[in-house]
Amino acid sequence: MNGSLTITLTEAKAKFSELINRVIYNKEKIYISKKGKNVAALGPLEEIEDHKEEGLILAKQGLADLGDEIDIMEKYIYDAREKDVSREVDI
């Protein structure tokens, strides 16, 4: 199906299991809104895994004029990720 849906946080809480199944089996993206503003999203893990390194790389490109400071910040972030035991990190 590969569609998308926007629902309120209240609906998402009530239908969480159903929403997860829609993500798993239909590959849907589901946006969750609070007070009329999208605040979170559910989507297939494969899509997130495909883009997990892009965020930091794009941020680094956007802050290139900081010079050596950005390299220090990048190292700090990667070091913190390696020490974080709450999630698995491939570096």
Side-chain angles (χ1 to χ4, degrees):
M1 183 173 199
N2 292 345
S4 68
L5 168 72
T6 300
I7 65 170
T8 65
L9 179 58
T10 302
E11 286 178 287
K13 287 194 272 186
K15 299 178 180 180
F16 191 71
S17 183
E18 175 191 333
L19 297 174
I20 294 298
N21 284 331
R22 290 173 74 161
V23 168
I24 293 169
Y25 300 112
N26 299 336
K27 305 297 183 203
E28 288 185 59
K29 293 180 185 173
I30 300 167
Y31 298 94
I32 301 168
S33 66
K34 184 174 182 178
K35 297 182 181 179
K37 180 179 177 185
N38 286 347
V39 295
L42 298 173
L45 186 58
E46 305 87 50
E47 290 182 21
I48 295 169
E49 291 292 322
D50 289 345
H51 302 289
K52 68 182 178 182
E53 294 298 324
E54 289 179 8
L56 186 55
I57 292 168
L58 291 173
K60 183 177 177 180
Q61 291 170 351
L63 300 173
D65 62 331
L66 290 177
D68 292 337
E69 291 177 38
I70 193 67
D71 293 326
I72 294 166
M73 288 173 23
E74 179 185 24
K75 183 176 179 348
Y76 176 80
I77 291 168
Y78 278 114
D79 288 348
R81 284 182 175 181
E82 284 182 338
K83 292 175 187 173
D84 185 359
V85 295
S86 66
R87 63 186 178 109
E88 186 177 314
V89 178
D90 297 322
I91 299 180

